[in-house]
Amino acid sequence: MQFTSEQRLDDGVVEREFTLGEIPGTLWTPESAAPVPLILMAHNNGLSRRQSRLVARARHSAAYGYAVATIDAAGCGDRPRSAADEQARADLRRAMQTGEPVDEIFESLVGPLVANAVPDWQTTLDALLSLPEIGGRVGYSGWTAVGIRLAVVEPRIAAAGFFAGGYVPRAQREEARRVTIPLLLLLQWDDEGNPRQRALDLFDAFGTKEKTLHANLGGHTGTPWFEVDDGNRFFGRHLK
């Protein structure tokens, strides 16, 4: 892992850009001498780690006392995208706008993204846990499909917060029954891009005995800011 820049922000947080082979990432840590728990924060498919909503959440959680890391996984952000992926994204947008069936298009796009992203996250986790400023348990926050896969294959993930969940590949819907860590699922009741009933069915399918659902009115990007504070408290119960 090579750090390429460092900036001290006005909220008492240190922001560092890093590269790990082909993986670019960002790490936020509080200005603290003691090692702090780590939260892996993943954006939705294809988006950049520099997305403003993700950065705001990450900084807030770092100020709360966590190390927070995000990466551009394979096919996302600054990473190369295949022509097939770009065509699938265009087909998905068109189908959603016209009300056509999207399941098979979604599977062809997101299934491979999840399969390729999870090894990148595991490689990043290996490197982050070697840093002296990071210690204790690890949490995951963000993209549901990747989070389900990580929760199943990565024993170092101790708790997870998921967003939406209406569209999740079939493989991860099956794997949801094998997820046994504490979960917090955020659901926007009027999410235009995630069918509500599918999200509720997914929540029901999770195998863990400790799962919480927070549902709020509004569209996909309308999650209330207080949910960030509730998420920090959720991670505090399970990581600290």
Side-chain angles (χ1 to χ4, degrees), residues 82-140:
S82 69
D85 284 350
E86 290 301 280
Q87 184 61 53
R89 285 190 174 93
D91 292 343
L92 183 62
R93 285 192 295 269
R94 184 180 62 254
M96 293 183 72
Q97 290 169 356
T98 60
E100 299 173 35
V102 301
D103 288 272
E104 294 308 317
I105 302 173
F106 181 85
E107 290 285 336
S108 69
L109 171 64
V110 178
L113 279 178
V114 172
N116 293 328
V118 168
D120 284 353
W121 277 107
Q122 290 181 295
T123 297
T124 304
L125 180 57
D126 290 340
L128 290 170
L129 291 181
S130 70
L131 299 176
E133 60 266 42
I134 296 176
R137 293 183 158 193
V138 179
Y140 171 91

Side-chain angles (χ1 to χ4, degrees), residues 25-119:
T26 308
L27 175 64
W28 295 267
T29 51
E31 291 183 323
S32 168
V36 293
L38 171 67
I39 298 174
L40 304 178
M41 194 167 284
H43 43 70
N44 289 337
N45 77 82
L47 297 179
S48 169
R49 72 186 190 280
R50 299 187 181 94
Q51 185 193 36
S52 59
R53 287 187 297 139
L54 183 146
V55 171
R57 285 169 40 223
R59 287 181 57 172
H60 193 72
S61 294
Y64 199 87
Y66 302 103
V68 182
T70 189
I71 62 171
D72 283 339
C76 299
D78 294 337
R79 303 282 292 278
R81 303 186 186 195
S82 69
D85 284 350
E86 290 301 280
Q87 184 61 53
R89 285 190 174 93
D91 292 343
L92 183 62
R93 285 192 295 269
R94 184 180 62 254
M96 293 183 72
Q97 290 169 356
T98 60
E100 299 173 35
V102 301
D103 288 272
E104 294 308 317
I105 302 173
F106 181 85
E107 290 285 336
S108 69
L109 171 64
V110 178
L113 279 178
V114 172
N116 293 328
V118 168

Side-chain angles (χ1 to χ4, degrees), residues 68-227:
V68 182
T70 189
I71 62 171
D72 283 339
C76 299
D78 294 337
R79 303 282 292 278
R81 303 186 186 195
S82 69
D85 284 350
E86 290 301 280
Q87 184 61 53
R89 285 190 174 93
D91 292 343
L92 183 62
R93 285 192 295 269
R94 184 180 62 254
M96 293 183 72
Q97 290 169 356
T98 60
E100 299 173 35
V102 301
D103 288 272
E104 294 308 317
I105 302 173
F106 181 85
E107 290 285 336
S108 69
L109 171 64
V110 178
L113 279 178
V114 172
N116 293 328
V118 168
D120 284 353
W121 277 107
Q122 290 181 295
T123 297
T124 304
L125 180 57
D126 290 340
L128 290 170
L129 291 181
S130 70
L131 299 176
E133 60 266 42
I134 296 176
R137 293 183 158 193
V138 179
Y140 171 91
S141 175
W143 187 8
T144 300
V146 167
I148 291 172
R149 182 70 182 145
L150 269 175
V152 169
V153 303
E154 180 49 71
R156 292 173 291 185
I157 304 294
F162 295 153
F163 290 81
Y167 281 117
V168 170
R170 286 187 287 267
Q172 276 65 64
R173 287 188 172 273
E174 290 299 317
E175 287 181 323
R177 294 171 173 79
R178 297 166 52 195
V179 174
T180 58
I181 61 174
L183 294 180
L184 172 63
L185 178 65
L186 300 184
L187 170 63
Q188 286 301 101
W189 204 247
D190 309 299
D191 192 332
E192 62 279 7
N194 282 276
R196 181 193 308 161
Q197 191 57 53
R198 289 194 184 193
L200 295 173
D201 291 343
L202 179 67
F203 179 76
D204 190 51
F206 285 123
T208 180
K209 296 184 183 302
E210 186 171 347
K211 52 186 175 181
T212 301
L213 174 68
H214 286 186
N216 292 283
L217 296 177
H220 185 68
T221 60
T223 304
W225 184 253
F226 63 72
E227 291 289 3

